[in-house]
Amino acid sequence: MAAISPVTIRAARRDDVGTIVMMLADDPLGGARERIEDPLPPSYYRAFEALAQDPNIQLVVAEDNGSVIGCLQLCILAGLSSQGASRALIEDVRVAGHCRSRGIGEQLVQWALAEARAKGCRLVELLTHHSRVDAQRFYKRLGFQSSHVGMTLRF
Amino acid sequence: MAAISPVTIRAARRDDVGTIVMMLADDPLGGARERIEDPLPPSYYRAFEALAQDPNIQLVVAEDNGSVIGCLQLCILAGLSSQGASRALIEDVRVAGHCRSRGIGEQLVQWALAEARAKGCRLVELLTHHSRVDAQRFYKRLGFQSSHVGMTLRF
């Protein structure tokens, strides 16, 4: 078990977008889907404005000594099932390559679990690609079950 | 292949909540999670008000000759990944027991796919329990892939 270095978890700001996109792209699956250019394509900033205005979406970053080294998006979704309890969806969890195995992903996910509880959720869900075996082991350690099939359709 | 009877797909109204909850409960997995009482627990109506106020959530029903016989919830979620394209999450797809195998679920999902495209999504995702083998076959037929593990944590 690696030592845990506590990081600050805070809402992402517009000037974090570049760093977040770099983390999303630094990945065998994400690399093919992102466009890293300088300046970054404006679609990223439009998306940031959209999610920053949505009270049910929180994009947070992990910051360590002023550097953004991780991110996570949490959506709190109203719904009728489970007696009308909201559910939480975790997306886009990333830790910068040089900062892995330091417990940063765990701090991000634990933040999300605490936030989901505080918002009255009774269920937290996420999809992780079949190939991300380490991620599945990580989430199981945090209490998740591989209970569902995650199905996707890309346009 | 069963014959398709076209149904009307429309936004759910407050007076549909009871019928929707009955459909959510009429299921080996959902039955244990819902509370069917008359009147229905107020938490269901609070959840309905919350989702009706969220511009990114659409709870729709399939109506046939004035009867509600199916439901689906679609969430359109902003996010940075995939160049800032929104993604769509489909939840709580149900068809009334006496109306199955008539293509109603397919009409609901096709509605959701068209809506997701219209909103600029490039990805549609959903979780379906491992035990729902028929559902997985159904979604594959509509173009979904079993690409991910769906992980859940219940509080």
Side-chain angles (χ1 to χ4, degrees), chain B:
Chain B
M1 173 72 70
I4 301 276
S5 9
V7 291
T8 301
I9 294 173
R10 62 162 174 80
R13 298 185 302 245
R14 198 174 195 282
D15 62 3
D16 299 320
V17 169
T19 309
I20 295 170
V21 173
M22 290 293 283
M23 289 190 290
L24 294 174
D26 179 23
D27 178 277
L29 296 170
R33 292 199 288 261
E34 308 307 335
R35 247 175 77 200
I36 305 294
E37 291 166 10
D38 188 13
L40 217 52
S43 58
Y44 287 112
Y45 291 101
R46 283 197 297 269
F48 180 78
E49 301 303 335
L51 65 88
Q53 281 172 26
D54 188 331
N56 300 316
I57 299 184
Q58 294 182 77
L59 176 64
V60 296
V61 294
E63 190 182 86
D64 185 35
N65 284 322
S67 296
V68 166
I69 56 173
C71 61
L72 178 150
Q73 181 166 323
L74 177 68
C75 307
I76 305 286
L77 301 167
L80 295 187
S81 63
S82 293
Q83 301 179 39
S86 290
R87 73 193 98 186
L89 175 72
I90 293 176
E91 303 252 25
D92 291 348
V93 182
R94 294 290 189 285
V95 172
H98 64 288
C99 298
R100 293 192 186 138
S101 307
R102 281 170 43 192
I104 293 159
E106 176 164 350
Q107 289 173 75
L108 282 161
V109 174
Q110 295 288 16
W111 172 87
L113 296 182
E115 184 69 15
R117 269 183 199 274
K119 293 275 167 72
C121 296
R122 299 238 293 269
L123 173 68
V124 183
E125 51 192 18
L126 60 88
L127 289 88
T128 177
H129 195 269
H130 274 299
S131 65
R132 298 195 198 269
V133 180
D134 287 353
Q136 288 145 38
R137 198 178 305 121
F138 164 77
Y139 288 117
K140 277 184 192 163
R141 190 164 58 75
L142 299 185
F144 284 82
Q145 296 191 312
S146 300
S147 53
H148 287 63
V149 178
M151 304 195 77
T152 57
L153 186 157
R154 287 190 180 272
F155 296 133

Side-chain angles (χ1 to χ4, degrees), chain A residues 116-135:
Chain A
R117 269 183 199 273
K119 292 275 168 68
C121 295
R122 299 240 291 270
L123 172 68
V124 183
E125 53 192 18
L126 60 88
L127 289 89
T128 177
H129 195 270
H130 275 299
S131 64
R132 298 195 199 267
V133 180
D134 288 351

Side-chain angles (χ1 to χ4, degrees), chain A residues 55-111:
Chain A
N56 299 315
I57 299 183
Q58 293 182 77
L59 176 64
V60 296
V61 294
E63 191 182 85
D64 185 34
N65 284 322
S67 295
V68 166
I69 55 173
C71 61
L72 177 150
Q73 181 166 323
L74 176 68
C75 307
I76 306 286
L77 302 167
L80 295 187
S81 62
S82 294
Q83 300 179 41
S86 290
R87 73 192 97 184
L89 175 72
I90 293 176
E91 303 252 25
D92 292 348
V93 182
R94 294 290 188 285
V95 172
H98 63 288
C99 299
R100 292 190 188 139
S101 308
R102 282 172 42 193
I104 294 159
E106 176 164 349
Q107 290 174 73
L108 283 161
V109 175
Q110 294 289 16
W111 172 88

